Amino acid sequence: MSSGYPRHREADVVLHDGSTVRLRPVRPEDAEGLAQLFAALSLESRAFRFFSGAIDLERAAAMLADVDYEQRYGLLALRDGRAVGHGLYVGGAGGRAEVAFAVAEEMQGKGLGTILLAHLAEVAGEHGYSAFVAEVLPQNHRMIEMFRESGLPTETSSEPGVLRVEMPTAVSAAARERFEDRDRIAARAAVRSLLEPRSVALVGASRRPGSVGAEVLRNLLAAGYEGPLHAVNPKAETVAGLPAYPSLAAVPGEVELAVIAVPAAAVAAVAREAAAKGARALVVLSAGFAETGEEGARRERELLAICREHGMRLVGPNCLGVLNTADDARLNATFIPQPPPAGNVGFVSQSGALGLALAEFAGERRLGVSSFASVGNRADVTGNDFLEYWEEDGRTAVALLYIESFSDPRRFARVARRAGRKLPIVAVKSGRSAAGARAASSHTGALLAASDRTVDALFSQAGVVRTETLDELLDVASLLSEQPLPQGRRVGIVTNAGGPGIMCADACDAAGLEVPETPEEVRKRLRRFAAAEAGLGNPVDLIAAAGPEEYRRAIVELARWEGIDALIAIFIRPLATTAEEVAAAIAAAAAELPRPIPVQAVFITTAARAPLAAAAAVPTHLQPEGAARALGKAAAYAEWRRRPAAAPAEVAGVRGDEAAATIAEALAAGRE
């Protein structure tokens, strides 16, 4: 070997089915593993790879393991400790390199060959090779299709008994788009195993009331999960009416999702059992990992290594669990005491406590959830994966995120920028202050932080709606999930008291909104039913004597006015009219608007918000400022969405390979 082993080229990659494999450069000692890979191939696959089924596999493997990481470079894909894929390029004259691949039978059709090709192309380009050449038997349709589907422009020529395929090593925009498509497919497949599993096992199911294992099992049963549900508890014969098994190995049939609620020290052993059982995903509720210090971080690394080795995906550890409210996939693998109602809002949180808060407040605001995940320490699956899933699940209209740190900000920007064109993404990014950032890093074991200005710039570019508090997050989510987007920033205000109307107008101005003067033709229509003392400018003050009918008619008449893009109705209770009556009138008006514009209600009252929100059937606030801030955020998002999508900036002179090597060395040395 003329060059040192490129450790920074090691990577875990995700396949079409959402599982993972480990990619690393080939080493000389891999000859035996390569020989086993080739021996396990079918006779046809072996003939396609070596142009002959009768080849000395050990000799061929020894030759392929002889690499110098420049002119001869090989990549190995590993699953369950064995080689399941191999790619190699051998450099030649004229900046060309010959490339060849072998993929285990059970791994074919999952995108592994394309991933090997992409990684080899990047390395070859850095070593001065501008094109790949491959000789393929005409019958090897799968390999030919792989080259075509890679997104790299291919030229194919026919020679006696063989096809010669040539392609550039530089990744084009079209190839990047193809690779991003594969990322989306893989992420959605991974999340489906978490939210739509065919079978579930709860390890740590408990009969002790109030314990995590008991509460999760109670929620799984209460949600009506329809697939096979297994309880694992070595000290019981039954739990909550279900047979209890001493281990995952004893569970009959398959287990797609294993939910783990055992002490941290026992989690790794359970993860190995899950891998042996063929599980595709784990949700680890247990705490005691990277958030607790070095010993916990070691446990977390071990857990992730087990998942990577066997291709399993992981939510957690140190998390609240996952929930899906779909009729055909009801799943509540959380220990939330009162689950949220079903609806069209997806929510991912790094904080379990905020997940609990969302569930508690969702019903109060008529805010229904499509799916929820508390990702805890985010050792593997992150909010990025759920965004990919929500973009296409057909049930999610708004995505909510609570973020303490970014694991992959570049991918987040790419995914959010695309998904945000289809559904609003609303985020609370905590850790603005130095103290907050320090607390965030200790809370979920986060290693990476970003300056607040950087986060603002990232969100602005990607169209993410940033909110400061959980209350504001819910305000904005209620508006975006229930109402159309505003077409501009002009607001009409209806009130029965001058003071709250003025407060609302001031709040609108602070939120970047406009409160235009009501034109005379609109005032004429309002005078037909408003009291003589009413103020018909904007805000429209119907005065305290106004009843439900005046509210209904005023909202409808203002909506006819093309000079506004949104409406806020404010009510403070006088002596006679009740808030419930006006809420019903607002709901009736919203149902008969002459054009689709967003409507919000403000009830300045000490009464509970829940009955008012239900009666109003529109987003309901207790103060005018909340309505104005939510509308300002919605208007900014609508403007971003109307702008043509801009291509990400290309920065010249970036030495990505050196940067990756520097980061890898720093992480290996324990530096942050």
Side-chain angles (χ1 to χ4, degrees):
M1 294 184 292
S2 65
S3 300
Y5 175 75
R7 185 174 300 278
H8 65 282
R9 288 290 179 186
E10 296 181 354
D12 297 306
V13 297
V14 186
L15 305 180
H16 282 342
D17 65 355
S19 66
T20 62
V21 294
R22 180 72 171 170
L23 282 194
R24 66 164 172 80
V26 168
R27 298 191 287 248
E29 59 266 29
D30 290 323
E32 182 180 351
L34 282 169
Q36 292 171 354
L37 167 64
F38 300 145
L41 294 174
S42 68
L43 200 59
E44 180 184 57
S45 294
R46 208 179 306 153
F48 286 159
R49 171 61 183 85
F50 298 105
F51 286 36
S52 170
I55 186 172
D56 185 338
L57 296 180
E58 291 188 4
R59 183 167 177 268
M63 290 177 60
L64 294 173
D66 181 15
V67 293
D68 60 17
Y69 303 121
E70 289 183 7
Q71 185 179 3
R72 292 177 57 84
Y73 190 99
L75 271 179
L76 207 61
L78 298 165
R79 167 77 66 84
D80 296 330
R82 64 186 182 87
V84 294
H86 172 252
L88 172 83
Y89 79 72
V90 178
R96 285 170 166 73
E98 188 172 348
V99 66
F101 302 92
V103 175
E105 304 290 333
E106 74 274 14
M107 302 298 289
Q108 292 180 11
K110 297 183 179 182
L112 178 54
T114 306
I115 290 171
L116 288 166
L117 172 62
H119 282 248
L120 283 177
E122 183 179 4
V123 176
E126 290 177 359
H127 287 122
Y129 297 104
S130 58
F132 275 157
V133 175
E135 292 189 345
V136 184
L137 290 174
Q139 304 92 330
N140 193 352
H141 303 296
R142 190 183 289 275
M143 186 62 65
I144 296 168
E145 186 67 18
M146 184 201 83
F147 288 134
R148 285 178 181 157
E149 287 297 312
S150 70
L152 296 170
T154 59
E155 292 184 9
T156 305
S157 57
S158 299
E159 298 181 5
V162 70
L163 294 177
R164 183 180 174 87
V165 182
E166 186 167 332
M167 70 207 78
T169 58
V171 178
S172 65
R176 280 197 195 94
E177 193 172 329
R178 292 286 182 91
F179 292 133
E180 287 179 16
D181 285 343
R182 290 181 179 86
D183 284 347
R184 287 200 289 275
I185 292 168
R188 290 166 191 160
V191 174
R192 273 195 294 272
S193 289
L194 291 159
L195 294 180
E196 307 172 34
R198 294 185 299 273
S199 53
V200 177
L202 173 59
V203 183
S206 175
R207 295 186 294 189
R208 181 164 54 86
S211 66
V212 170
E215 292 305 302
V216 174
L217 185 56
R218 179 183 67 82
N219 281 343
L220 282 164
L221 293 169
Y225 176 70
E226 295 181 350
L229 175 60
H230 307 289
V232 176
N233 183 330
K235 298 179 180 178
E237 293 186 1
T238 63
V239 180
L242 295 176
Y245 300 95
S247 66
L248 276 171
V251 171
E254 70 160 15
V255 172
E256 182 170 10
L257 173 65
V259 182
I260 301 176
V262 300
V267 168
V270 174
R272 290 191 177 91
E273 285 186 16
K277 190 67 177 171
R280 290 175 55 84
L282 307 180
V283 173
V284 177
L285 308 175
S286 318
F289 289 87
E291 79 282 1
T292 63
E294 183 48 43
E295 176 58 24
R298 184 201 61 76
R299 283 198 197 106
E300 191 166 308
R301 289 193 295 270
E302 180 185 12
L303 171 62
L304 183 59
I306 294 166
C307 291
R308 288 289 186 257
E309 181 181 356
H310 301 285
M312 297 184 296
R313 303 307 302 273
L314 167 68
V315 163
N318 181 33
C319 73
L320 187 63
V322 297
L323 177 148
N324 188 357
T325 64
D327 288 338
D328 58 348
R330 291 190 296 272
L331 177 77
N332 184 357
T334 74
F335 49 97
I336 295 175
Q338 182 60 46
N344 64 356
V345 175
F347 184 50
V348 165
S349 177
Q350 281 180 246
S351 164
L354 282 176
L356 289 169
L358 173 85
E360 184 171 338
F361 295 140
E364 177 186 319
R365 296 168 183 261
R366 297 179 60 254
L367 196 63
V369 170
S370 60
S371 54
F372 162 77
S374 158
V375 291
N377 293 6
R378 294 173 315 155
D380 178 24
V381 175
T382 70
N384 294 335
D385 300 291
F386 285 92
L387 284 176
E388 302 268 27
Y389 174 85
W390 290 331
E391 185 184 2
E392 296 294 336
D393 76 341
R395 297 180 59 244
T396 303
V398 180
L400 304 187
L401 307 174
Y402 171 75
I403 300 170
E404 292 178 353
S405 64
F406 291 96
S407 57
D408 189 346
R410 184 184 227 170
R411 183 182 171 214
F412 174 81
R414 186 177 70 244
V415 172
R417 194 164 48 237
R418 189 196 65 246
R421 297 280 168 186
K422 190 169 184 179
L423 73 163
I425 300 168
V426 188
V428 172
K429 167 63 176 75
S430 63
R432 277 190 181 275
S433 65
R438 189 168 61 248
S441 68
S442 64
H443 179 206
T444 52
L447 292 175
L448 301 178
S451 78
D452 207 57
R453 279 186 295 180
T454 304
V455 172
D456 277 336
L458 171 62
F459 283 178
S460 177
Q461 183 189 55
V464 175
V465 180
R466 183 172 190 175
T467 58
E468 302 301 321
T469 64
L470 179 61
D471 199 51
E472 189 179 19
L473 179 84
L474 295 170
D475 283 344
V476 175
S478 297
L479 176 57
L480 292 173
S481 67
E482 297 183 8
Q483 298 292 308
L485 289 175
Q487 294 303 303
R489 292 179 169 269
R490 301 166 301 177
V491 188
I493 301 171
V494 180
T495 179
N496 67 343
I502 295 167
M503 291 170 61
C504 187
D506 287 345
C508 285
D509 183 72
L513 302 167
E514 305 169 28
V515 183
E517 182 72 16
T518 313
E520 183 56 34
E521 61 269 22
V522 176
R523 297 186 191 215
K524 285 180 182 177
R525 293 199 298 268
L526 292 171
R527 286 193 190 101
R528 295 171 188 167
F529 57 85
E533 301 86 355
L536 302 182
N538 190 16
V540 174
D541 181 4
L542 297 174
I543 73 169
E549 182 61 14
E550 284 82 6
Y551 266 92
R552 185 190 68 78
R553 294 183 66 179
I555 290 169
V556 172
E557 288 300 336
L558 280 177
R560 297 187 199 281
W561 172 28
E562 296 286 343
I564 59 169
D565 306 295
L567 271 163
I568 298 175
I570 305 170
F571 176 81
I572 184 165
R573 185 176 179 182
L575 293 176
T577 308
T578 67
E580 288 77 11
E581 291 173 316
V582 171
I586 293 171
E592 59 176 291
L593 293 182
R595 60 192 175 99
I597 63 172
V599 178
Q600 297 181 91
V602 177
F603 293 95
I604 303 176
T605 174
T606 57
R609 189 200 313 251
L612 294 172
V618 298
T620 301
H621 307 267
L622 301 180
Q623 300 293 335
E625 292 81 2
R629 282 194 298 265
L631 185 57
K633 301 282 188 183
Y637 167 72
E639 288 171 354
W640 174 85
R641 189 153 149 175
R642 287 193 293 268
R643 290 199 300 265
E650 296 287 343
V651 182
V654 173
R655 303 195 302 279
D657 195 47
E658 293 177 42
T662 301
I663 293 169
E665 290 168 2
L667 291 174
R671 300 200 304 274
E672 295 183 6

